């Protein structure tokens, strides 16, 4: 990974700046791993959400991953073209589309999950097992993301 020039001394000790740098490095490592599986980050996020939530209304899916509806259409189109999801009228409300993961999509999610885990292992490699556990606990607390995934 290319080195980043040092930040001015007034900001390089700010937790927000350090978290941003760590997040950028993490995104880069995961994006590279997903690219080897043929996916971009948003494709992986949406596919994983469909695997967790599906069948799920397209609008609900967009809200759950905080993706703009216009962007969601393109991501779903790509995933459907790849054979990873099916889109059909929602049986409870035919005005809506229900998105379902396919068998191939489930296999891809599993491969991408392993690839993302390896990338995150590389990100956290400088930490001991105990430090990783404490870091993840603290990061969860300050991120505002509920531990159980509920909103």
């Amino acid at each position: 990974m290319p080195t980043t020039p040092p930040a001015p001394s007034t900001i390089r000790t700010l937790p927000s700046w350090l978290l941003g740098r760590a997040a950028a490095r993490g995104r880069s490592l995961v994006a590279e791993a997903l690219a080897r599986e043929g996916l971009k980050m948003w494709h992986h996020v949406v596919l994983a959400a469909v695997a967790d939530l599906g069948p799920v209304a397209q609008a609900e899916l967009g809200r759950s991953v905080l993706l703009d509806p216009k962007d969601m259409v393109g991501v779903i189109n790509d995933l459907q073209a790849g054979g990873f999801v099916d889109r059909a009228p929602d049986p409870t409300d035919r005005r809506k589309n229900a998105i379902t993961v396919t068998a191939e999509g489930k296999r891809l999610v599993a491969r991408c999950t392993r690839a993302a885990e390896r990338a995150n292992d590389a990100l956290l490699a400088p930490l001991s097992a105990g430090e990783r556990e404490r870091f993840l606990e603290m990061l969860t607390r300050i991120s505002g993301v509920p531990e159980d995934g509920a909103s």
Side-chain angles (χ1 to χ4, degrees):
M1 182 173 147
T3 59
T4 302
S9 61
T10 56
I11 65 168
R12 71 173 161 236
T13 58
L14 293 174
S16 55
W17 185 84
L18 291 167
L19 284 168
R21 292 301 317 139
R25 182 167 178 257
R27 275 191 304 275
S28 176
L29 290 167
V30 171
E32 290 170 14
L34 294 175
R36 289 190 288 276
E37 292 293 339
L39 284 188
K40 294 181 180 172
M41 193 74 79
W42 273 114
H43 292 91
H44 178 242
V45 169
V46 170
L47 184 59
V50 172
D52 281 352
L53 303 171
V56 59
Q58 188 169 317
E60 181 185 337
L61 178 62
R63 285 189 298 275
S64 75
V65 298
L66 303 176
L67 184 59
D68 184 271
K70 295 181 299 293
D71 296 326
M72 178 60 76
V73 170
V75 170
I76 294 293
N77 286 346
D78 293 345
L79 292 171
Q80 187 175 21
F84 306 121
V85 298
D86 287 324
R87 176 175 24 202
D90 187 323
T92 62
D93 185 347
R94 299 194 61 74
R95 296 170 297 168
K96 298 178 181 179
N97 283 320
I99 312 300
T100 307
V101 68
T102 64
E104 183 56 34
K106 288 178 185 178
R107 288 188 288 273
L108 182 59
V109 167
R111 288 193 311 271
C112 287
T113 297
R114 289 188 299 273
E117 287 169 352
R118 287 189 301 270
N120 277 280
D121 284 344
L123 175 67
L124 299 179
L127 304 179
S128 70
E131 288 172 327
R132 285 182 187 205
E133 189 175 319
R134 286 190 305 279
F135 176 71
L136 290 173
E137 288 170 1
M138 290 184 285
L139 196 55
T140 299
R141 284 196 335 246
I142 66 173
S143 71
V145 175
E147 288 187 53
D148 64 2
S151 25

